[in-house]
Amino acid sequence: MSDNDVLPIGSIGAVPAYRDVPTYRMFFGNLHVWEGDGWKAESMSWKTGAYVAANLTGPAELTYRGRDAQAFLSSLSINNVREWPVGTSKHLVMPDENGLIANHGLAIRDSEDSFRQLASLPWGVHRLGSAGMDVETSVREIFILQVAGPASLQVLERTLGRDLRDLKFLGIRKVEIAGVEAELELSRIGMAGTLAYEVRGPFDAGPVVYDAVYRAGKDIGLKRLGWRTYAVNHTEGGFPQANCTFLPSVLSDEAFMAAYGAGRSTTMSGSVDPTDLRARYRTPAEVNWDWMAKFDHDFLGRAAVEAEKASPRRKTVILRWNAEDILDVFASHFRPGEEYKYIEFPCAPQQIAGGHADLVTKDDEQVGVASAAVYSYYYREMLSQCVIDIDQAHIGNKVVLHWGDHGGRIKEIRATVERFPYLELPSNRDYDLSTVPSGLPAPAR
């Protein structure tokens, strides 16, 4: 890093303290980029170029190791972990006794008896105390860099100096960066809804790795994605996320909160009563994850998950807001009297907003609950994820979203049920890598 480009403190959390980054904010116990290169440019980056983000850095890497590690994770997860190949990743979804999602996140199987869980709550550590299994846990502070968008592969090949075309979706590989004395890994996974990767390693190496990636891609338009814009890709790409689009049910577990919830604060905003936590929790079926549930093993909450999979009541869709009604919200700020609640761009309310819940009705009857909304600069639309009754989930259905905070002035916004996910780009799993320019120097002639 050049001394001219960073502040004298050198780094903030896991990123360099760049002089041209306007704002940083505190999340998960660390300072993060709030807005890196402007929210419009950032929100376009995973469609037209690429971004680098350290937004998931903060929660520690948890390792479960021992003879019963696999059985223990199976006892908490709806997923089948018995046929999990070593060296691959899996999205583990962990319900509570009532079938509500208590925890979820990426996990990696390193060996027959060793697993790591990333950017996740210590729900497993909490449950281990009463499990009576031969499992040991350890914690390591790491950085997680997400590099996503159609140019992400080119950026990473430039950074690492090697061909990465053979890394399959969910695959993991040990990598090196010249001048960085740290063990690093690369994974082909991400939340952009299109081609995406993660680079991970020890926390202290985060700033220099971030800078190496940024400098490798800056001249081809790589953007620094901050938390202000981060949840836009989750909504566009169809990725429900604890603390962004819903809350983990651990908030209602008194023992867990007493042990691990110190300092945790959550704002309950939106037109739904703030005391109604259930409206802010989700089940696997409600977020369209019931396909992951395998009933070839016993797990916490299995009866509830199995019953709902057999007869689902709600699912997640995208709501597209009516533009005229949105304009009326803004117009109210230029009229006498009480205005409507302001709509933030690009996320309303600003993230982290898992506690936000807006009432959704049809013919004056409640049919759903909408999460925090995002303004998609790419589509020029206001969108929100909404868990809605199955019989109301068809594309084109007209509903009403109640915008505002419970007890305050409410604006009824017309909304239309749309495709889920909303983003129409090639998925990471199926991305044609031959369309991505090489990041390696042309061979000498």
Side-chain angles (χ1 to χ4, degrees), residues 154-386:
Q154 183 182 11
V155 171
L156 287 169
E157 287 182 334
R158 284 180 166 200
T159 306
L160 301 173
R162 60 183 291 187
D163 188 302
L164 301 170
R165 309 284 159 143
D166 60 340
L167 182 61
K168 304 298 184 183
F169 179 65
L170 296 181
I172 302 169
R173 163 174 304 168
K174 298 296 183 184
V175 294
E176 297 178 350
I177 296 178
V180 179
E181 299 295 328
E183 290 189 2
L184 307 174
E185 67 181 14
L186 175 69
S187 178
R188 185 173 162 186
I189 194 167
M191 294 293 154
T194 185
L195 186 63
Y197 298 84
E198 286 187 1
V199 183
R200 301 184 284 261
F203 184 85
D204 290 346
V208 66
V209 175
Y210 187 108
D211 194 61
V213 173
Y214 178 52
R215 293 187 182 283
K218 185 177 180 180
D219 69 321
I220 55 173
L222 181 72
K223 303 303 180 185
R224 295 163 294 186
L225 177 67
W227 258 110
R228 181 179 180 183
T229 310
Y230 184 58
V232 174
N233 61 22
H234 287 66
T235 297
E236 288 181 338
F239 294 103
Q241 177 70 46
N243 295 313
C244 287
T245 60
F246 67 94
L247 290 178
S249 68
V250 295
L251 292 179
S252 295
D253 188 305
E254 293 183 2
F256 178 88
M257 293 303 292
Y260 302 101
R264 184 185 180 95
S265 62
T266 301
T267 300
M268 305 298 176
S269 60
S271 53
V272 175
D273 189 332
T275 65
D276 185 358
L277 288 177
R278 177 59 185 90
R280 294 159 169 87
Y281 295 160
R282 300 289 184 266
T283 67
E286 288 175 345
V287 293
N288 308 342
W289 292 345
D290 52 338
W291 64 271
M292 299 184 200
K294 309 300 179 186
F295 303 108
D296 53 3
H297 65 291
D298 289 328
F299 57 86
L300 187 68
R302 171 176 166 168
V305 173
E306 192 166 13
E308 188 173 17
K309 184 170 183 176
S311 183
R313 299 181 296 276
R314 304 196 297 177
K315 65 179 293 185
T316 294
V317 299
I318 291 294
L319 294 185
R320 177 174 53 83
W321 295 22
N322 178 275
E324 291 181 0
D325 293 343
I326 295 170
L327 292 175
D328 191 51
V329 171
F330 287 107
S332 73
H333 291 262
F334 298 90
R335 300 171 181 149
E338 182 184 1
E339 70 278 12
Y340 292 117
K341 181 178 179 178
Y342 187 69
I343 297 177
E344 302 275 357
F345 276 18
C347 296
Q350 293 182 350
Q351 290 293 329
I352 302 172
H356 185 82
D358 282 323
L359 178 68
V360 175
T361 62
K362 175 82 171 186
D363 299 329
D364 297 323
E365 296 290 332
Q366 180 173 352
V367 296
V369 176
S371 306
V374 305
Y375 171 68
S376 172
Y377 183 64
Y378 182 67
Y379 289 107
R380 305 298 174 96
E381 302 278 7
M382 201 78 190
L383 309 170
S384 57
Q385 291 187 16
C386 174

Side-chain angles (χ1 to χ4, degrees), residues 94-117:
M94 299 179 169
D96 63 14
E97 295 91 338
N98 301 311
L100 298 167
I101 299 170
N103 186 41
H104 74 99
L106 185 71
I108 300 164
R109 187 173 194 178
D110 291 314
S111 68
E112 289 298 317
D113 62 356
S114 183
F115 301 80
R116 286 178 291 142
Q117 196 167 26

Side-chain angles (χ1 to χ4, degrees), residues 50-76:
Y51 68 70
V52 57
N55 299 319
L56 289 184
T57 297
E61 174 190 80
L62 297 172
T63 295
Y64 299 89
R65 183 181 293 109
R67 181 184 60 192
D68 296 330
Q70 187 176 19
F72 174 65
L73 290 177
S74 288
S75 73
L76 295 180

